[in-house]
Amino acid sequence: MLSFIGRSIVQKIITLFFVSIVSFLIIHLAPGKPSQVDPMNPKFTPEVVERFRKEFHLDKPLHVQYLYFYQDFFTGKTVSWKDNQSVLKKIWERFLNSLPLFIVGTIITWTLSFPIGIRSAIFRGRLYDRSATFISYLLISIPGFFFAYILIIFVVTQFHVPVIGMETFGIGETSMPHIFMDRIWHLLLPSVLGATGGIAVLSRYVRSQMLEVEGQDYIRTARAKGLPPEQVHYKHALRNALLPFVTMFGLILPGLIGGSVIIESIFSWPGMGRMAYEAILARDYPVILTVNFVSAVLVLIGTFISDILYLMVDPRIRL
Amino acid sequence: MMNIEEKTFNQDFQFQVPLAPKQTRLQAFWFLFKQNRLAIVGLFIFILFFCSALIGLFLTSGPEPIFDPAMIRLQEKLRPPLAKPNLDSLRPEEVPTLDFYLMGTDDLGRDVFARMLQGAWVSLTVGFVAVGIAVLIGIFMGGIAGYFGQYHIKIDHILLTFILVSGAGLVAVKLIHFGALLLLLGLGHILYSILTKKRSREKAVSSWSAFLSKNAVSVDTLIMRIVDIMLCFPSFFLILTVVALLPASIYNIMIVIGLTSWMGTTRFVRAEFLSLREQDFVAAVKALGVSNFRIIFRHMMPNAVAPVLVSATIGIATAILTEAGLSFLGFGVPPPHATWGNILSDGKRFIFDAPWLTFIPGIAILIVVLSFNLFGEGLRDTLNPRLRERH
């Protein structure tokens, strides 16, 4: 166990090192320079550009730039090229905005997809199962931005509530319940949209796990003993079908930082995804690289946690 | 003599009625596939989409297209679907081919039907080319990892690659003399090792060359680590970054989507190859002395292709969605050319006045992606050997 943990940590650190190199190379070798973002701006005289390049070490060779960047990164001194703010502080602020979306979206996904998946496994081949299957394909296939506009039209014309942004503009002076409801309405649509894909995929996965377990011999034995169907389904089958999902707690971790670029830009939600999008448009390399690095770290930690959880939950796996 | 013997031999075992119905692989596949109604609908829509994209390409391109997607009629803007054009205000060449706007017009008075036809071809090619690239890389990497995985890369190989790469890098940053020296050194070493290959086995091993020919890492581990590294990047964010940095062009999008989505195929092909490699028929072919190349492509690939086909079909759906998302964000095909994503993104400003500009491309994307997904799932069910045995 300990040797497994040690080995996988070393492996992940090596992977991370290569990720940092690859992302650095992708960004710096692509055509276009940060000093060329706005060539028409009269403030960008050649002298200013030259000073910029000096200040951010852009005149040095690539490997020196790499060392400079990660030195700054690990001492927490990376600053955005756009506004000279600390990148980590910027990311933290945006992260706090994205967090409610992530939490509500995850709760919606997990609370809806389990009942749906289990029911369609129990009623396999019946109308409920077939319609659930079709709707989940529909949800996987619908482009997020299109679905967002359908929901916006629906909510705005039926309920007459504003939904764009984090709160209604200039709401400051109303009572607490008002502000609270306003926040809820603004939170609801983007998190539902973030959850749709997840619900579709996860409920299909729950269904197939459940079906696999229902085909096992011990379920037939339980039925043959004359146990009531509820007990067979929920006590014997479900418990065993839940096993792989414990590990998925680790795998939702990367979703924390990814956010959704498209959904956040439709709803003008000042979250992580939108910040990354703006950073890409402005060629703000430190922000892009930091977001990339942090999300790679989260992916690696997520797989690590899910491996460990699997080891703890499933006694059949021994190293 | 042989011939006669064979005939009599055959006659002994000839039955009047064959034991099993004669079925080719394709017939058996079609028999199973036919029972999945959703998948049939998916296949039908897919063929329809394919034909309309092809016809659309002919009708909307060329110097004198039949449907001109770029024709601007400012006096006819935001007309609803099926509206008749106001013939008095149009010059003869501006009158739409069908005499009415089948899908309405957009904010510049361009015919949405013509633009949708033009966009269909973009979606189709992006889907197929991106997935084609991903599948080629995936099969190549997965095949190497699965078939040659047990071989080890030796330290001198790594040093050699390092010398060659740094030499090329130095030439690229204009340190030509030093870089060329390194390149020559590397190439010289390759030539030398090819020439002395036969003798090197009997050579006495000094401690220095023993270190150089030490096994560093197996091919399998190397490729799987590369896959792990690629999986660490958040995919849509990576695609967005690269597409935003590169000049806007449809080919860049295809290549970038292809280069960032080959990891799944690699894993499937590797897993299949690892199990196929140990099977008796591969051992038999090896014993016959068939070349590796022929074993891989003639004997192992047809048996490993099922999961690749399924993931490719679903990959096309994902690629179409990704391209639409990129166009929606304003990256992608440069403006005069229409894609479904940028029709929708242009139309979103008029969502309450001209909802057809949002709904027509949105529903088109939805239907095409849905058909690919349904077809792919149908393929998965049909090609699943566990299911096949039941019939």
Side-chain angles (χ1 to χ4, degrees):
Chain A
M1 183 78 177
L2 269 182
S3 81
F4 168 76
I5 292 178
R7 248 186 306 137
S8 77
I9 286 178
V10 170
Q11 230 174 44
K12 291 196 161 132
I13 289 174
I14 296 174
T15 312
L16 203 57
F17 172 65
F18 280 104
V19 167
S20 74
I21 290 183
V22 172
S23 55
F24 193 82
L25 283 182
I26 287 178
I27 287 189
H28 280 264
L29 291 184
K33 297 211 163 42
S35 49
Q36 294 172 341
V37 169
D38 198 2
M40 305 307 278
N41 191 340
K43 278 185 188 162
F44 276 113
T45 55
E47 296 85 62
V48 175
V49 170
E50 203 45 48
R51 219 179 62 216
F52 248 79
R53 284 167 57 84
K54 264 234 165 59
E55 193 153 328
F56 296 119
H57 314 297
L58 279 173
D59 47 352
K60 302 263 174 24
L62 265 186
H63 59 277
V64 180
Q65 284 188 41
Y66 176 83
L67 290 180
Y68 268 122
F69 176 76
Y70 281 97
Q71 188 193 2
D72 281 355
F73 179 77
F74 284 112
T75 48
K77 283 191 302 204
T78 331
V79 289
S80 158
W81 288 351
K82 211 167 84 185
D83 47 13
N84 256 337
Q85 276 187 343
S86 165
V87 170
L88 290 179
K89 210 179 104 199
K90 254 177 112 165
I91 289 185
W92 179 247
E93 280 168 12
R94 295 303 190 98
F95 171 73
L96 289 183
N97 287 341
S98 278
L99 197 61
L101 276 190
F102 173 74
I103 293 174
V104 176
T106 312
I107 290 175
I108 294 176
T109 310
W110 286 68
T111 47
L112 278 185
S113 41
F114 275 92
I116 293 175
I118 293 167
R119 253 182 89 89
S120 13
I122 292 175
F123 297 112
R124 184 190 187 181
R126 303 243 205 105
L127 184 67
Y128 179 85
D129 180 30
R130 275 185 290 155
S131 45
T133 305
F134 186 72
I135 289 174
S136 58
Y137 284 138
L138 208 65
L139 288 183
I140 294 174
S141 310
I142 196 163
F145 44 90
F146 177 52
F147 197 36
Y149 284 118
I150 295 179
L151 286 185
I152 289 176
I153 291 180
F154 177 70
V155 169
V156 170
T157 53
Q158 295 299 311
F159 301 100
H160 302 287
V161 286
V163 288
I164 303 291
M166 277 180 78
E167 53 186 26
T168 307
F169 184 69
I171 196 166
E173 268 112 55
T174 37
S175 54
M176 267 312 275
H178 250 96
I179 295 181
F180 185 69
M181 275 314 290
D182 186 60
R183 274 302 182 93
I184 297 267
W185 269 115
H186 281 87
L187 194 59
L188 194 67
L189 277 197
S191 33
V192 165
L193 277 165
T196 46
I199 294 173
V201 174
L202 197 61
S203 66
R204 298 289 299 161
Y205 193 37
V206 172
R207 175 179 178 272
S208 68
Q209 278 301 324
M210 199 64 188
L211 280 181
E212 200 170 314
V213 175
E214 295 260 353
Q216 299 282 336
D217 289 343
Y218 56 84
I219 300 295
R220 199 185 319 145
T221 312
R223 271 187 223 280
K225 277 197 306 191
L227 289 181
E230 286 83 38
Q231 205 176 341
V232 177
H233 289 316
Y234 296 109
K235 209 168 164 195
H236 290 72
L238 184 60
R239 280 190 187 179
N240 288 293
L242 283 183
L243 213 60
F245 297 98
V246 176
T247 66
M248 286 184 82
F249 277 118
L251 298 180
I252 57 175
L253 206 59
L256 260 177
I257 199 155
S260 173
V261 180
I262 294 180
I263 289 173
E264 284 183 1
S265 55
I266 289 175
F267 286 93
S268 317
W269 191 275
M272 291 288 313
R274 228 171 99 86
M275 183 191 67
Y277 176 60
E278 286 159 4
I280 290 173
L281 285 183
R283 310 259 156 128
D284 199 347
Y285 292 174
V287 176
I288 304 175
L289 283 174
T290 310
V291 171
N292 224 320
F293 192 81
V294 175
S295 72
V297 170
L298 285 182
V299 171
L300 291 174
I301 293 179
T303 46
F304 182 68
I305 291 177
S306 79
D307 285 351
I308 297 290
L309 280 178
Y310 216 87
L311 272 181
M312 295 199 312
V313 177
D314 196 339
R316 285 170 298 186
I317 295 181
R318 282 277 163 266
L319 290 170
Chain B
M1 194 62 193
M2 269 295 281
N3 228 341
I4 295 166
E5 247 182 41
E6 228 176 71
K7 260 186 187 162
T8 50
F9 178 79
N10 269 346
Q11 261 163 11
D12 287 346
F13 288 91
Q14 198 96 72
F15 294 95
Q16 285 303 311
V17 186
L19 280 180
K22 225 177 159 193
Q23 250 185 347
T24 61
R25 235 188 211 191
L26 207 68
Q27 281 169 334
F29 166 77
W30 182 244
F31 176 75
L32 276 181
F33 188 77
K34 204 158 60 165
Q35 292 167 349
N36 192 338
R37 232 180 302 156
L38 282 180
I40 288 287
V41 174
L43 179 66
F44 178 71
I45 295 173
F46 162 53
I47 292 171
L48 204 72
F49 165 64
F50 194 86
C51 296
S52 59
L54 268 182
I55 297 169
L57 179 70
F58 284 114
L59 292 183
T60 57
S61 58
E64 289 265 317
I66 298 173
F67 292 97
D68 191 352
M71 172 74 75
I72 294 173
R73 318 171 183 82
L74 281 177
Q75 64 276 40
E76 293 278 279
K77 65 179 181 184
L78 297 184
R79 301 294 305 271
L82 299 176
K84 290 266 180 210
N86 190 0
L87 288 174
D88 306 334
S89 65
L90 289 175
R91 277 178 280 138
E93 71 269 19
E94 288 178 339
V95 177
T97 318
L98 289 176
D99 276 335
F100 59 91
Y101 302 112
L102 185 62
M103 295 181 179
T105 61
D106 65 2
D107 56 319
L108 294 174
R110 293 175 294 193
D111 189 2
V112 176
F113 180 61
R115 290 175 69 72
M116 289 295 292
L117 274 182
Q118 195 181 28
W121 178 250
V122 174
S123 291
L124 186 78
T125 43
V126 166
F128 274 82
V129 175
V131 169
I133 294 172
V135 165
L136 280 185
I137 299 177
I139 285 180
F140 181 72
M141 300 283 263
I144 290 180
Y147 193 79
F148 299 111
Q150 78 279 31
Y151 293 109
H152 279 76
I153 294 173
K154 301 195 169 77
I155 288 181
D156 60 339
H157 294 158
I158 297 177
L159 280 178
L160 190 64
T161 324
F162 184 71
I163 288 174
L164 283 175
V165 168
S166 57
L170 285 175
V171 170
V173 294
K174 297 193 179 109
L175 277 169
I176 292 177
H177 293 289
F178 197 58
L181 187 74
L182 280 183
L183 275 179
L184 278 179
L185 205 74
L187 292 175
H189 180 78
I190 293 176
L191 265 178
Y192 174 76
S193 55
I194 289 173
L195 288 176
T196 57
K197 194 181 173 189
K198 278 173 193 154
R199 272 180 294 152
S200 64
R201 286 201 189 117
E202 303 117 41
K203 222 170 38 180
V205 186
S206 69
S207 65
W208 177 236
S209 71
F211 170 74
L212 275 186
S213 57
K214 214 171 180 175
N215 291 339
V217 57
S218 76
V219 177
D220 186 40
T221 322
L222 182 72
I223 290 180
M224 284 300 114
R225 285 294 89 79
I226 295 177
V227 169
D228 282 351
I229 291 173
M230 286 301 291
L231 284 176
C232 274
F233 292 101
S235 65
F236 189 76
F237 182 59
L238 178 66
I239 294 173
L240 193 65
T241 312
V242 179
V243 167
L245 294 179
L246 291 175
S249 125
I250 188 74
Y251 302 104
N252 283 336
I253 292 183
M254 294 175 196
I255 294 169
V256 170
I257 295 179
L259 287 183
T260 49
S261 53
W262 49 271
M263 289 82 76
T265 317
T266 303
R267 286 190 159 175
F268 286 133
V269 174
R270 168 179 175 267
E272 290 285 321
F273 267 40
L274 281 181
S275 75
L276 284 174
R277 204 176 61 188
E278 307 299 327
Q279 305 229 331
D280 290 342
F281 73 93
V282 176
V285 179
K286 264 190 192 160
L288 284 175
V290 176
S291 70
N292 281 332
F293 188 79
R294 196 174 156 81
I295 294 179
I296 290 177
F297 286 102
R298 188 75 189 82
H299 298 277
M300 284 167 80
M301 215 48 185
N303 291 295
V305 88
V308 176
L309 214 60
V310 173
S311 77
T313 316
I314 294 172
I316 292 176
T318 320
I320 291 176
L321 273 185
T322 309
E323 189 275 328
L326 287 174
S327 296
F328 178 79
L329 286 176
F331 301 106
V333 191
H337 203 98
T339 70
W340 292 355
N342 68 25
I343 296 173
L344 204 155
S345 138
D346 290 343
K348 74 186 178 213
R349 284 172 295 154
F350 311 101
I351 188 161
F352 289 105
D353 305 321
W356 62 89
L357 288 180
T358 306
F359 277 88
I360 289 174
I363 290 174
I365 298 171
L366 170 63
I367 289 176
V368 168
V369 172
L370 184 64
S371 79
F372 274 101
N373 277 330
L374 289 177
F375 179 55
E377 291 293 326
L379 270 187
R380 188 202 302 273
D381 288 348
T382 315
L383 295 173
N384 189 348
R386 266 187 295 174
L387 210 84
R388 199 187 288 162
E389 278 161 18
R390 280 214 320 246
H391 291 272

